[in-house]
Amino acid sequence: GDNSKRKELKNIFNELSMKFGDLKDYEKEHIILNNPIHHQPFIVIGEDRYYSAIFGIIPHLTINLLEDLISKDEKLREKYSNRIKSKYLEDEIERLSKINIPNAMIFRGSLWEDTLNNKNYENDLLVVIDTFALIIEAKSGKVTPPAKRGAPKRLFETLKELIEEPSEQAHRFIEHLKKNKTIHTFYNKRGEKNVVDSSKTSYYIPICITLTNLGVISSNLKKLIEAGITEKKISDLAPSISLSDLEIIFDLLPLEAEKIHYFARRREIENHLNYEGDELDLLSFYLENGFNIGEEEYNNKIMMDLILKSKEIDPYLEGIDRGAKVSKPGLEKTEWWKDILNKIAKKRPKNWLETSFILLNLTKKDQKKFEKTFQGLKKRVRTGKVEKKHNWVTFLFGPKRKNFAVIGYPYVIVDKEERNNIIMNILHSKEVKNTKGSVIIGINLNKEDYPYSILAGRLDTQLFNI
């Protein structure tokens, strides 16, 4: 409706368009690795008339198209590449973290000194919640055209910059916090103080967030090692997730515990499992089973093809983009399990995130098995058809090298001290003590509290297996 900008709009379209014959001398092999149409998706077909045969994928190209428009202005390009992009990425990660992990303490831009080598470093974002910490490094660089075409030196340098370097930064900061379990005072470049108490943190998760979507490369770091791009071990690399994928992960995993569990298990799956797929394929796989696949996780003889698994969540993502009413996919759980996790999230008792983490390590199928057995025991206790005064059901699950226990304890006793002594005996029993973590779900049958009356667990959990 504003014809005053008609000339400027035409100039923009001309920049984003080709004329017939423009590609007659273009290297054909480069079309596969660096398609020129991704930079000029329109064709000039007449005066003020433009056509595109790939209009459906233009939303995926928009950042590159906008960057192309400013690339001829050297000062603007320098300002955008070196300042605006990096600040935008860090701003967005901080904003998304505050919205989606509201109970966390979030610290940005912590400047710290490594006393071992007397060097100064900076952490982009630290997210601390309960006994967990996300160590986030942001990288706003992009894959250049020569790298896309497979120029080995440029490709290796780019991937090292976007994946290896932030992994080193994250792990370096993690080691500093682990070795110095105390209250730290870090300053950022704005002169603000970040007061971090690492004495209460047991679990650290390194993550790299990129502005560029690197596809299957960033979601399967073993390929970098196999290609000789990095000499790092898989355990030394941090999962690399694009900003757009991070938004989707936060959207589809509403509970804070689910997000933390995803990031932690996502890293373990990448370390242990052979698979093909990108980040959203992994997310869709997680929604199905929480990455709880038993011994298959450690079977090097199998390869899981997850490519196109993300098509299961596409109807939701495309639907909300168009304003349609579509049901949101979520992690598969029974109603009782959902209610337990929701109550934990609301009450946040001591070590609530570790408790939720253990409960999220059961598949929906195992949740049903446990609930059926527990309900049977509750019925027998109510009717007095049990031989012992105190009865419980122990459910062991997970692969042998990382097994957990969930115990269902229905009781009718009034004396809390007696009840607590029984709980301590259960937690210190050989069967439960040999696991990496345990949760007791206690229900007082005199009150029929729902979804539970009391939760208990060991403090010496070993949740991670990297």
Side-chain angles (χ1 to χ4, degrees), residues 244-366:
S244 57
D245 287 346
L246 180 69
E247 287 188 80
I248 295 170
I249 292 166
F250 280 162
D251 183 27
L252 296 186
L253 301 177
L255 291 180
E256 291 171 308
E258 291 175 339
K259 298 176 181 73
I260 299 300
H261 187 257
Y262 176 81
F263 291 133
R265 291 290 292 127
R266 152 85 169 75
R267 185 172 180 234
E268 291 181 333
I269 283 288
E270 190 164 13
N271 284 0
H272 305 146
L273 185 67
N274 295 318
Y275 65 87
E276 292 285 348
D278 62 18
E279 190 66 42
L280 296 188
D281 292 323
L282 283 171
L283 176 60
S284 186
F285 187 52
Y286 177 83
L287 295 179
E288 182 181 298
N289 52 40
F291 289 147
N292 300 310
I293 57 175
E295 295 296 340
E296 288 186 347
E297 180 178 337
Y298 305 95
N299 189 344
N300 290 323
K301 295 180 180 179
I302 67 170
M303 167 67 75
M304 285 198 174
D305 186 359
L306 302 178
I307 292 176
L308 300 183
K309 183 75 175 168
S310 60
K311 292 299 175 185
E312 296 173 7
I313 61 178
D314 277 356
Y316 168 75
L317 298 177
E318 294 175 8
I320 58 171
D321 189 49
R322 295 170 184 168
K325 288 185 177 180
V326 286
S327 58
K328 180 187 288 190
L331 178 59
E332 290 285 326
K333 298 187 290 285
T334 66
E335 286 303 313
W336 184 43
W337 225 249
K338 286 180 188 176
D339 293 337
I340 292 174
L341 289 165
N342 284 331
K343 184 175 179 179
I344 294 173
K346 185 177 180 180
K347 299 289 186 181
R348 298 199 304 279
K350 183 177 176 61
N351 288 18
W352 64 277
L353 207 46
E354 292 185 24
T355 300
S356 299
F357 194 100
I358 294 170
L359 295 177
L360 286 167
N361 280 335
L362 272 85
T363 62
K364 186 176 181 179
K365 184 178 179 181
D366 284 339

Side-chain angles (χ1 to χ4, degrees), residues 334 363-373:
T334 66
T363 62
K364 186 176 181 179
K365 184 178 179 181
D366 284 339
Q367 294 165 22
K368 287 181 177 178
K369 284 182 182 178
F370 174 76
E371 186 173 355
K372 183 178 180 181
T373 307

